[in-house]
């Protein structure tokens, strides 16, 4: 009986973990740009000194042209409420031809646990 | 008489046409402004400079107090060394708001390089001798909190004439965060924004 409960608890924990990850994402919003750049990796960590979440989004420019793209990030607290931050405004990012690009962002406050990052042209 | 009427009608028609041709005023969509750049500094430049400074400051760890509490920050002198009539608060206010939100810093308005930003902290203390006020509600001596850190900086402009007659304008946003106890700068940042345009453009 005990084993069954532990199994159910384990499955529930797994589902909870998946849900938390799903609420954060990074995506290219422009349809034309989607064919030109690709997000290849998203790294996250919480800085042990500051307690702030850090993001590093890596992508590639698959074309032969230099581009200046824009990105913005929305931050949410653990309950899904959106937090105000200057990072919500579009920021410019140089993306060189046939090369990787990196977006490095730090959360505006410790309360920021989830994010939505958008890349546009 | 007929001529006068004709002239008047023509003038009215011309005036009407000119009014019709006048550009319509429209409100800027501050969230997605793809409007043309200007040679001077506009709000987009201040947003970018402030955002870069905040990100750099938070990443540096200079604002992480060991016991988890907040630093008290005073705003020192931020010089406008450009040819434009800009209020440096356009930059500093954005940084202050974001640092306050971060929970790492609280800004004092009782001390700054130009005197108290909010004089009421001192004025309210002058009520100590006033019998009309309940003295229990007047602030006691020694309650104001002195700053730990100071934010200072400069906005610099450099104009460069180009060979083809156009001009290049470079703006430098330079900021320093100094620990008042030691006088050491714990963080420094610089954002450069460059613009290139007609030599006839006036960038002030």
């Amino acid at each position: 009986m005990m084993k069954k409960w532990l199994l159910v608890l384990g499955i529930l924990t797994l589902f909870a973990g998946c849900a938390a990850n799903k609420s954060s994402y990074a995506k290219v919003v422009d349809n034309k740009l989607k064919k030109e750049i690709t997000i290849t990796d998203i790294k996250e960590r919480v800085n042990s000194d500051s307690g702030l979440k850090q993001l590093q989004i890596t992508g590639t420019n698959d074309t032969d042209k230099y581009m200046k793209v824009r990105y913005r990030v929305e931050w949410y607290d653990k309950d899904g409420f959106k937090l105000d931050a200057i990072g919500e405004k579009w920021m410019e990012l140089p993306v060189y031809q046939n090369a990787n690009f990196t977006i490095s962002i730090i959360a505006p406050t410790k309360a920021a646990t989830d994010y939505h990052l958008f890349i546009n042209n | 008489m007929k001529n006068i009427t004709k002239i008047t009608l023509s003038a009215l028609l011309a005036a009407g046409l000119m009014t019709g041709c006048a550009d319509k005023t429209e409100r800027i969509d501050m969230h997605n402004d793809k409007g043309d750049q200007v040679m001077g500094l506009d709000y987009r430049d201040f947003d970018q400079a402030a955002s870069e400074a905040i990100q750099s400051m938070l990443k540096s760890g200079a604002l992480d107090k060991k016991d988890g509490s907040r630093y008290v920050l005073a705003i020192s002198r931020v010089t406008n060394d450009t040819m434009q009539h800009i209020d440096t608060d356009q930059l500093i206010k954005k940084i202050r708001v974001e640092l306050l939100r971060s929970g790492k810093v609280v800004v004092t308005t009782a001390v700054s390089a130009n005197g108290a930003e909010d004089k009421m902290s001192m004025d309210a203390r002058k009520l100590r001798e006033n019998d009309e006020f309940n003295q229990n509600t007047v602030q006691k001596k020694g309650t104001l909190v002195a700053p730990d850190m100071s934010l200072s900086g400069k906005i610099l402009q450099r104009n460069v004439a180009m060979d083809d007659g156009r001009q290049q304008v470079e703006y430098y946003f330079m900021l320093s965060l100094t620990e008042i106890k030691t006088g050491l700068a714990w963080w420094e940042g610089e954002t450069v924004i460059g613009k290139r345009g007609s030599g006839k453009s006036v960038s002030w």
Side-chain angles (χ1 to χ4, degrees):
Chain A
M1 189 66 181
M2 187 66 177
K3 270 185 186 172
K4 270 186 187 173
W5 276 113
L6 280 174
L7 188 68
V8 171
L9 204 67
I11 291 168
L12 281 175
T13 312
L14 273 174
F15 272 113
C18 290
N21 286 335
K22 210 177 177 182
S23 62
S24 290
Y25 59 80
K27 67 174 183 181
V28 183
V29 290
D30 182 78
N31 284 334
K32 188 171 169 276
L33 193 63
K34 267 182 197 170
K35 294 170 190 161
E36 298 175 329
I37 65 171
T38 317
I39 296 172
T40 53
D41 186 38
I42 301 174
K43 281 192 171 66
E44 324 177 357
R45 70 175 176 198
V46 175
N47 185 300
S48 54
D49 292 327
S50 66
L52 300 174
K53 184 173 247 187
Q54 281 183 285
L55 298 181
Q56 183 175 282
I57 287 98
T58 310
T60 53
N61 175 359
D62 306 317
T63 71
D64 291 331
K65 60 176 182 183
Y66 165 82
M67 284 188 270
K68 196 189 271 181
V69 302
R70 300 181 302 154
Y71 70 90
R72 60 186 284 266
V73 61
E74 291 176 354
W75 287 97
Y76 295 83
D77 68 12
K78 62 180 172 53
D79 301 315
F81 282 85
K82 191 161 147 313
L83 302 165
D84 288 331
I86 200 169
E88 273 181 47
K89 296 196 172 178
W90 290 106
M91 294 293 293
E92 289 182 345
L93 177 77
V95 173
Y96 299 95
Q97 62 269 37
N98 295 310
N100 291 341
F101 64 87
T102 305
I103 302 172
S104 178
I105 304 169
I106 192 157
T109 158
K110 282 181 194 173
T113 53
D114 295 311
Y115 59 87
H116 296 172
L117 185 131
F118 307 100
I119 302 177
N120 204 347
N121 59 10
Chain B
M1 187 64 185
K2 267 186 182 174
N3 278 344
I4 293 171
T5 314
K6 269 186 187 170
I7 290 167
T8 313
L9 278 172
S10 305
L12 275 172
L13 191 65
L17 277 171
M18 280 166 82
T19 314
C21 290
D23 279 340
K24 245 190 349 182
T25 303
E26 58 184 44
R27 196 168 177 168
I28 299 169
D29 180 357
M30 311 281 271
H31 302 285
N32 190 27
D33 185 4
K34 287 191 171 177
D36 290 339
Q37 283 289 333
V38 291
M39 288 294 274
L41 289 169
D42 74 3
Y43 78 94
R44 290 170 289 188
D45 303 316
F46 287 106
D47 276 351
Q48 189 182 328
S51 186
E52 283 183 19
I54 293 154
Q55 284 284 315
S56 170
M57 245 185 266
L58 292 176
K59 278 178 194 165
S60 73
L63 299 172
D64 300 335
K65 215 171 175 180
K66 279 180 185 165
D67 62 3
S69 63
R70 299 194 283 185
Y71 281 116
V72 178
L73 176 73
I75 305 301
S76 184
R77 200 173 299 279
V78 180
T79 315
N80 170 22
D81 207 357
T82 71
M83 294 165 207
Q84 299 176 54
H85 297 292
I86 51 172
D87 187 336
T88 53
D89 264 355
Q90 282 181 274
L91 174 72
I92 298 303
K93 198 67 175 180
K94 289 178 201 294
I95 294 173
R96 284 172 61 164
V97 168
E98 206 63 13
L99 289 181
L100 193 61
R101 275 183 193 150
S102 76
K104 302 276 174 196
V105 161
V106 61
V107 179
T108 174
T109 57
V111 190
S112 85
N114 304 317
E117 185 180 326
D118 186 350
K119 290 188 168 55
M120 193 50 71
S121 298
M122 290 310 289
D123 287 350
R125 282 164 169 77
K126 290 176 187 163
L127 304 175
R128 276 185 197 132
E129 305 303 319
N130 193 329
D131 294 340
E132 295 300 326
F133 286 86
N134 177 346
Q135 290 299 303
N136 289 330
T137 64
V138 177
Q139 298 304 320
K140 302 286 178 286
K141 282 189 176 180
T143 52
L144 286 174
V145 179
D148 306 300
M149 311 281 265
S150 161
L151 183 68
S152 61
K154 185 192 269 189
I155 307 173
L156 193 79
Q157 176 178 346
R158 194 166 165 263
N159 285 19
V160 183
M162 296 174 69
D163 292 343
D164 59 4
R166 300 204 306 158
Q167 72 167 326
Q168 179 170 302
V169 185
E170 297 159 7
Y171 297 101
Y172 298 82
F173 296 80
M174 298 183 281
L175 291 168
S176 297
L177 187 69
T178 304
E179 189 199 33
I180 291 175
K181 183 180 168 188
T182 59
L184 301 176
W186 281 13
W187 171 88
E188 292 192 285
E190 182 187 65
T191 297
V192 183
I193 291 175
K195 303 192 180 200
R196 206 169 280 155
S198 162
K200 291 172 188 164
S201 305
V202 184
S203 48
W204 62 75

